[in-house]
Amino acid sequence: MTDLVRCFVDGKPRETARRFADVNPALGRAVKDVCEAAAEDVDAAVQAAKRAMKGPWRRRSAVERAALLERVADGIDARRDEFLRAEIEDTGKPVGLASVVDIPRGAANFRAFAAQLRTMGEETYTTATDDGRGALNLVVHEPLGVVGVICPWNLPLLLMTWKVAPALAAGNAVVVKPSEETPQTATLLGEVMKSAGVDDGVYNVVHGFGVGSAGQLLVQHPDVAAITFTGESKTGAAIMKDAAPTLKRLSSELGGKNAAIVFADADLDAAVAGCLRSTFLNTGQICLCTERIYVQRSVYAAFVERLAEGAKRRVLGDPQATSTTMGPLISETHAKKVLGYYDRAQATGATVVTGGTAAAAPPGFDGGYWVEPTIWTGVGDGHALVQEEIFGPCTVVLPFDDEDEAVARANDSDYGLCCAVWTQDLSRAHRVSRAVDAGLVWVNTWYLRDLRTPFGGKKRSGVGREGGRWSFDFYAEPKNICIKL
Ligand code: NAD
Ligand code: 6OD
C-alpha cells in the first residue's frame, strides 16, 4: 500500500479532499495519510451500493454469492503478508497474534458464511382453506439493501469481515466505516473484492471519524437500510438516536466488563493460563477480555501469585518479532485513559500485585503507547476497577466463598457480554453457566469460537445477535408469499 490510504467506492480507490494521520501505536508517529470522506463521498458510496443492488449483484444466486465469498477468502490468504503488515502497522499487535487470529479469521469469516449460504434452506407451510384446495406459504429471504458497517480498532479485519461476509452472503451491498485508528485493511480488502470478481459498488469503504464525520453521516443517511455497529456502549447509544429518524435496523456489539470465576475444584494450571490469555491477549483490548476474576478463597493466594508470575513473563517488544507477546495500546488517548485507571487504583488504595504504570518502551519504540501488564487486589465490588470497562492489560482479582455469591457478584454489572467459568465439576459448570447473565459463557476455555453460534451481549453489552443463522436473521428480510392452490 502507498503512503495514502484511500476510500474505496464503486470498485475503485477514491481520493478525497481532506486527510488525517494514521498513527502506528508502537512508534507513536504517523505512518500514512488517510482520505477522510466528506458528505459527498459518503453519499457517493451509498449511491454506488444502491446501484449495485439493482445491477448484476441482485441477480446472483446464493451459490454464485457463496463462490464469490470463497474467492474473497482465497484472496485474503494470497495477500496474507500485506494484510499482516497493514494490520500490525495500524494496531502494533504482535505478529504472533495477527498471523494466528486476525488475518486467518478474516478469511475464515467469508468461508463460514459461504458454507452457511450453501446449506441454508427456505421454509414452506401448507395451509388449509375452506374450498379444500389449500395454499402454499413460502418464506423467502431478501436482502435489506445498503448496510452500513461501523467498526472498532481492536480486531480491525476480523470484526469488519465478521459483518461484511454475512451482509454480502445475504445479498446486500455494504458501506464500511473502519475505525479512524485502523484504516488500512478495509481498503486493502477492496482490492481483494475487485480481483475476486465482486460486482462494483457491493463493497465500499469510507474513512473518517464518528460525530460530524463519516460515521455519523452513514448512520443518518436516508438510503442506508441498516447499521451494524461494534464499539463502545455509549457510541451504540448515540448511533441508536441518530438512526431513529430514518428507522434503521440496528445490530450493536458493545462494551464489556467480563468476569472469570475460578472454583477451587478447577484445574489451576489451566485456569491460570486461561486467565492470563483472557486478560492480556491483544493488550487487553478485546471486548471479551477478562477484567475481573473471582477466585474461591482456598485457592485465591496461590492463584494471584501464579497469575502475577505469568503477567511478568509478558514480553513487550517489536510487533514484528515472534518473541513479542504484548503490544502497545492503540493510541495516546487510550493510553491516558488506561493509565488514569492505574493512577486511580494507587490513589484509592488498591493493592498493585504487579505492573501499575506506563512501561519502559522496547528499544526503537520510544514514542509508543506502552503500559505494564497489571493485576490489582484489595478493592470492593463497587470500585471503578470492578465496574468500568478499562480495555487495557489489567484485571482485578477478588476472593469469594460460595457458588451463589460468585454468580451474584459476577452478575453485579451493567454489562453482560461474556464470562469464563473454571471448574471440573460438570453439574456446577451447567448451573453456573446458566445463572450467569451474559450472552456467552465459556467453561474451562476462553475465546474458542464456532462461527455458527449466536454472538452478542446482554444489558449494555449489545442489542441483537450475529453469527450463523442469527446473522442471516439480521441481514435479510423474511417475506411471506402465499399461493392459493
Ligand atoms: P468507538 O465506539 O469509539 O468507535 C467505534 C466506531 O464507531 C469507530 O469507527 C468510530 O469512528 C465510530 N463512531 C464513533 N462515534 C460515532 C457516532 N456518533 N456515529 C457513528 N459512528 C461513530 O469504539 P472503539 O474505541 O473503536 O472500540 C473499543 C470499544 O469497542 C470497546 O468498548 C469494546 O468493548 C467495544 N467492542 C465491542 C465488541 C463486541 O463484539 N461486543 C467488539 C470489539 C470492540
Ligand atoms: O470472534 C468474534 O466473532 C467476535 N465478534 C469477537 C469480538 C471481539 C471483541 O473485541
Side-chain angles (χ1 to χ4, degrees), residues 8-66:
F8 189 83
V9 174
D10 208 8
K12 41 193 171 303
R14 181 179 174 102
E15 278 193 32
T16 63
R18 287 172 57 166
R19 304 288 152 85
F20 64 93
D22 178 14
V23 173
N24 177 334
L27 298 167
R29 65 175 157 76
V31 286
K32 297 263 188 296
D33 274 340
V34 188
C35 289
E36 182 179 357
E40 75 221 40
D41 304 303
V42 173
D43 188 52
V46 174
Q47 298 315 323
K50 266 183 82 179
R51 281 195 302 280
M53 290 300 300
K54 293 186 185 132
W57 180 245
R58 176 83 191 186
R59 292 185 291 279
R60 287 194 186 277
S61 66
V63 173
E64 278 181 287
R65 292 202 302 275

Side-chain angles (χ1 to χ4, degrees), residues 127-142:
T127 308
T129 56
D130 288 344
D131 64 7
R133 289 194 200 157
L136 185 62
N137 275 286
L138 311 178
V139 183
V140 297
H141 289 87
E142 296 185 337

Side-chain angles (χ1 to χ4, degrees), residues 150-153 177 180 215 229-232 235 253-255 287 389:
I150 303 184
C151 308
W153 44 258
K177 211 299 278 171
E180 52 274 37
F229 168 72
T230 306
E232 277 196 55
T235 313
E253 298 184 344
L254 307 175
C287 60
E389 182 185 54

Side-chain angles (χ1 to χ4, degrees), residues 105 154-155 158-159 162 253 286-288 447 449 455:
R105 212 1 242 290
N154 58 334
L155 303 167
L158 187 161
L159 290 175
W162 166 243
E253 298 184 344
I286 300 180
C287 60
L288 307 161
Y447 202 19
R449 295 281 289 119
F455 182 94

